Amino acid sequence: MVEESGTLRHARPRGPRSGWFPLGISVAAVAILVGGWTAVSAALPDSKPVSSGHSMVIATGSGHEAKLSFDDGWELYPGSSSAGQQYRFGKGAVRLHVTVVTPPEGSSETELWEGMREVARVGDSSASLTDPRPVTAESGAKGLTGTLHSNKEIGTAALFPSPNGGFAVESIAVGEESGGDLADAEKLLQSIRFDRTGGGA
């Protein structure tokens, strides 16, 4: 994974090319931020298949764990994923970014959705996230969903808070311009469920 620029330390120059390495790291970090989801996938091509029928725990906290259930064809990008925090998946032309957030106390789902709008614009200044509408997962989990439009691509977004509000699972998926292949991402997100764990309330 790319380290945050604040962790870089400037060493004493050892030759005419010594300054290029930290500069290259900084440029790569900026490219990831402004290049959109497609550029991120291109920069981090290494992936590993996710077994069909596999249920992956993507977040744990406050007495609950969130799981997604996968069908054929999904891949995980380990280089741009961090367990319990963020994940990048792909299937065909679809790229799915899943983020686990800890909401500030008293935050509403609508406020979290506004935060997702800002995140979408970081990757693509032309991105526009529609107003949310209620959605219910197959497990009965309640959340919000909406559509992402930009000059480059079309996508879908979803937000599912944990039952006690200790964390929330946010996701943005992008696909081809027609948007037809996004059905795979929507199906995956519909599989989310929150199971109780031993700790928490």
Side-chain angles (χ1 to χ4, degrees):
M1 294 177 61
V2 178
E3 298 289 340
E4 294 182 359
S5 58
T7 64
L8 295 176
R9 296 291 181 267
H10 294 288
R12 179 178 299 172
R14 291 174 293 178
R17 299 179 62 184
S18 62
W20 285 103
F21 182 72
L23 177 61
I25 294 293
S26 299
V27 170
V30 172
I32 286 176
L33 287 175
V34 303
W37 311 116
T38 302
V40 170
S41 297
L44 298 162
D46 293 337
S47 64
K48 64 177 184 180
V50 181
S51 300
S52 177
H54 175 66
S55 266
M56 178 184 292
V57 176
I58 58 173
T60 303
S62 303
H64 289 85
E65 61 183 14
K67 297 179 180 178
L68 290 173
S69 298
F70 293 79
D71 57 12
D72 287 329
W74 282 102
E75 295 180 313
L76 171 69
Y77 292 83
S80 51
S81 299
S82 180
Q85 298 177 21
Q86 66 174 2
Y87 302 85
R88 290 188 190 273
F89 300 102
K91 182 177 182 180
V94 177
R95 294 295 176 264
L96 172 64
H97 181 204
V98 177
T99 305
V100 180
V101 300
T102 302
E105 187 174 353
S107 296
S108 67
E109 291 184 10
T110 302
E111 289 171 326
L112 293 176
W113 190 264
E114 289 302 318
M116 290 181 66
R117 275 198 169 117
E118 295 303 317
V119 170
R121 291 192 188 108
V122 169
D124 181 351
S125 60
S126 70
S128 174
L129 194 57
T130 63
D131 288 338
R133 61 184 183 276
V135 64
T136 302
E138 294 173 356
S139 65
K142 304 291 185 180
L144 300 174
T145 188
T147 303
L148 178 75
H149 297 280
S150 80
N151 294 339
K152 300 177 182 178
E153 51 208 355
I154 190 169
T156 185
L159 164 68
F160 286 97
S162 64
N164 58 5
F167 64 91
V169 178
E170 300 179 347
S171 61
I172 295 179
V174 295
E176 294 179 340
E177 189 173 349
S178 67
D181 51 2
L182 290 172
D184 290 325
E186 292 170 351
K187 180 180 178 182
L188 174 59
L189 297 174
Q190 277 286 317
S191 75
I192 194 168
R193 72 178 190 268
F194 295 92
D195 294 336
R196 288 186 177 275
T197 60

